[in-house]
Amino acid sequence: MRTADFIKLILRSLTAAKMRSSLTALGIAVGICAVTLLTSLGEGVRHYVLSNFSQFGTRIIAINPGKTLTGGMGGMLQTDRPLTLYDAQALARLPHVTHVVPLVQGSGTIEAGGRARSTDIIGANHAIHSAWQFNIALGRGLPEDESGRSRSFAVLGHKLQQELFGGQNPLGQSIRVGGMRFRIVGVMAAKGQMLGFDLDDMVFIPVDKALMLFNRNGLMEIDVVFSDSASTDQLLASIRKQLIARHGAEDFSLISQDDMLQSLDNILQVLTAAVAALGAISLLVGAVGIVTIMSTAVRERTSEIGLLTALGCNQRQVLLLFLGEAVALSLAGGIAGIGVAIALVLGLAAVLPALPLQLSLFYLSLALLLSIAIGLAAGITPARQAAQMNPIDALRAE
Amino acid sequence: MRAQLSPLRKQQTMIKLSQLCRTFMLGDQAVHALNNINLNISPGDYISVMGPSGSGKSTLLNVLGLLDVPDSGHYLLQGTDTTLLSETERARYRREHIGFVFQSYHLVPRLTARENIELPLVLAGIAPHDRQKKVAAILAQLGLTERAGHLPNQLSGGQRQRVAIGRAIVMQPRLLLADEPTGNLDTQSGLDVVAILEQLNQQGITLLVVTHDNALGQRARRRIRMVDGRIVADELAGIIASEADSHA
């Protein structure tokens, strides 16, 4: 049989019962639409999260004190040496390292004039501006003083400045951060939120002052930014070597931004797949609909199957004809479902731009393939029944 | 009188059945639908098969039409032993050599008269251009040109059976098998249909009609009578007629 005739015969059968065919296809359409929408949401969230994290650049390695050893004893962690400012200075001398940011984070009350606001306090050094791409909108950044003897200068986040000073110029004003006096030397440009964490509602103070403020003897984290002349693995190795030499043991953890993005990406992909699987439940219902309709069709058209056999169709051709109908139903549903999903995603993007929805060509083609696979899976049993029918009995059926 | 014994007009055989048996199990009882059938059919024959219900005449038609396979014995169709063919090969033989006409027409209800006639050509993979010419010729031959665009339920019984005949002959088979072709028709339509079948036979097609209808059966040149899976009579009309003449 010619392909064009094959398709025409299939479409003739399907269009002969328009209501029934479209309702069956609708079942698949709903399922495919659900899967497409949910994967779009999953993909959107993934892109949103990843772009939030990668806004700091990808060539960052974070060093945290303490090392989790599998099978190690809890007591071992107590012997950790703290990460110090001297560690940070040592790391800055490593080849390929462009910036080193020692970090201490806490929260406290910031008072200026008559106003007070409780928010996050970040202790860092001047390198934070280039390392984290935290640009200065007004004044200058944290001082480039030698560690331990920093002047009491503070830089305000964009929002904090708005809250405390309104429209007024805060440069040169003095504020109290957790009871210590600081002079404002700069204001950050607006950076926005990262995963609900407001990067603009912060005050930045020199890291040695922060250590004093929070009464800590060690840093919470050291971020090392390196140039693209070296690979992440090279840097991880040289940082590890340097710190082991200084501490005598590996009592710290290294996480590269690459690793973190990768593991985040993995988690989010699994999440997307899980959500898609939920949508697939409705696809299953649609598939059951196809099985039902095709079984009914085979029973109703028994004498037609006998006739086709008498006219010289072999079992394979009969099988293909009925399987083709099932696939056509499912594919039609799939295309309709994808179409509706695309329309919905584009519509939602226009109405609610904040909603992280992202159409992925990968998932769209997967949905299309899925609808074909469903047609095949749902249609094979009825089609087999049709093909294996005894033509004499079939011709006798009315 | 045995047909095989008579000197026939044509020597070569188109169909040769030898010691053909077909048994069905009805519950735990074996029914011999075909019991050791030997039969030769020559090209251009016009044969009627008559007999009571359950005599095996339908089974004979199904075996001849390659829809059923005998349990034992041989069925030679134009020299080929069909009992050795695979399902796919039998399907091809049916398509190319055998046309079926059924009592209940078996038209596809969603296809027009033209499309029903065209169906075997479509299944055989013949190009649309060639199909059109053949179908148009057959529509004209059967007087259906004006009804070509109608669906089966818009046609009378006689017209439906003519469409079915058109479908049976569109592949130009050598053998036409008709199972009670007039069974669902009124007398006049039945006569029209029979006239068409006989006209096709005169053009050379081998026609085998299975029927209960004595009048229809008597029209055939060769009349086979079956009882309990056996051929009990096989007469040639010409010879009977000449015997009748000699008695007169």
Side-chain angles (χ1 to χ4, degrees), chain A residues 163-353:
Chain A
E163 293 291 334
L164 292 179
F165 295 97
Q168 287 175 337
N169 186 347
L171 292 183
Q173 302 271 356
S174 97
I175 54 169
R176 294 180 77 85
V177 177
M180 286 171 79
R181 289 178 67 85
F182 287 87
R183 189 135 60 87
I184 297 166
V185 293
V187 177
M188 297 278 194
K191 185 81 175 166
Q193 295 205 340
M194 186 186 84
L195 304 177
F197 198 65
D198 193 344
L199 297 172
D200 295 330
D201 194 8
M202 291 176 172
V203 63
F204 299 83
I205 58 175
V207 65
D208 50 332
K209 297 287 180 204
L211 283 173
M212 272 160 60
L213 181 65
F214 297 119
N215 197 22
R216 289 181 62 99
N217 59 352
L219 300 168
M220 288 175 154
E221 181 175 313
I222 300 175
D223 284 351
V224 175
V225 181
F226 53 98
S227 68
D228 53 9
S229 55
S231 73
T232 306
D233 287 341
Q234 266 177 298
L235 253 291
L236 283 172
S238 62
I239 290 170
R240 186 172 286 126
K241 199 173 146 209
Q242 174 76 293
L243 285 180
I244 287 175
R246 292 179 60 83
H247 289 202
E250 190 171 343
D251 56 358
F252 51 88
S253 310
L254 302 180
I255 306 166
S256 69
Q257 189 84 350
D258 275 355
D259 284 348
M260 200 175 60
L261 286 177
Q262 190 58 52
S263 50
L264 255 181
D265 193 21
N266 288 347
I267 292 167
L268 291 169
Q269 267 178 351
V270 170
L271 263 176
T272 305
V275 184
L278 278 178
I281 293 173
S282 50
L283 263 183
L284 190 69
V285 178
V288 170
I290 291 193
V291 177
T292 314
I293 283 303
M294 289 313 297
S295 303
T296 313
V298 168
R299 226 173 307 123
E300 283 176 354
R301 279 152 59 188
T302 300
S303 74
E304 186 186 319
I305 295 165
L307 171 79
L308 288 174
T309 314
L311 293 183
C313 263
N314 55 38
Q315 291 185 344
R316 200 176 135 267
Q317 286 174 310
V318 174
L319 181 104
L320 285 178
L321 275 172
F322 279 88
L323 199 56
E325 284 186 29
V327 171
L329 274 177
S330 179
L331 190 62
I335 291 170
I338 289 173
V340 170
I342 290 177
L344 278 176
V345 167
L346 295 181
L348 280 173
V351 179
L352 295 169

Side-chain angles (χ1 to χ4, degrees), chain A residues 44-91:
Chain A
V45 167
R46 190 166 75 91
H47 277 259
Y48 173 73
V49 169
L50 291 183
S51 65
N52 260 310
F53 272 92
S54 53
Q55 65 181 330
F56 301 115
T58 52
R59 288 193 306 280
I60 297 183
I61 293 171
I63 304 149
N64 295 97
K67 172 95 182 164
T68 310
L69 288 172
T70 309
M73 288 153 59
M76 288 179 80
L77 290 173
Q78 291 173 352
T79 65
D80 287 348
R81 294 173 59 152
L83 285 175
T84 63
L85 288 173
Y86 304 108
D87 288 331
Q89 283 165 1
L91 291 173

Side-chain angles (χ1 to χ4, degrees), chain A residues 1-2 5 8-9 12-13 16 301 303-304 307-315 317 391-392 395 397-398, chain B residues 62 67-68 87-88 91 94-95 100 102 104 106 108 110-111 115 119-120 122-123 125-128 131 167:
Chain A
M1 209 185 316
R2 305 166 133 250
D5 290 328
K8 219 161 97 187
L9 270 183
R12 276 307 272 274
S13 320
R301 279 152 59 188
S303 74
E304 186 186 319
L307 171 79
L308 288 174
T309 314
L311 293 183
C313 263
N314 55 38
Q315 291 185 344
Q317 286 174 310
I392 298 160
L395 280 167
E398 273 306 300
Chain B
N62 290 333
L67 288 170
D68 201 356
E87 190 267 339
T88 311
R94 277 199 297 275
R95 193 167 75 201
F100 291 90
F102 306 97
S104 49
H106 280 303
V108 180
R110 58 183 178 278
L111 300 182
E115 288 166 329
L119 190 57
V122 170
L123 295 175
I126 291 164
R131 295 204 299 251
R167 182 183 61 195

Side-chain angles (χ1 to χ4, degrees), chain A residues 85-144:
Chain A
L85 288 173
Y86 304 108
D87 288 331
Q89 283 165 1
L91 291 173
R93 288 192 293 271
L94 286 175
H96 309 296
V97 170
T98 52
H99 305 288
V100 172
V101 185
L103 281 171
V104 172
Q105 192 200 351
S107 54
T109 311
I110 292 107
E111 298 162 64
R115 303 190 191 187
R117 185 172 174 84
S118 279
T119 188
D120 290 310
I121 301 163
I122 304 281
N125 64 0
H126 65 277
I128 192 171
H129 303 293
S130 358
W132 285 8
Q133 286 142 36
F134 272 21
N135 301 322
I136 300 293
L138 202 61
R140 48 205 168 85
L142 287 173
E144 271 189 70

Side-chain angles (χ1 to χ4, degrees), chain B residues 1-4 38-39 47-50 222-227 230-236 240:
Chain B
M1 179 172 296
R2 288 266 162 188
Q4 292 94 313
N38 292 293
L39 182 66
I47 303 169
S48 67
V49 180
M50 311 223 336
R222 182 175 169 192
R223 300 155 202 159
I224 292 173
R225 196 167 171 76
M226 289 183 72
V227 174
R230 292 171 183 277
I231 294 176
V232 294
D234 189 347
E235 313 158 329
L236 277 176
I240 303 291

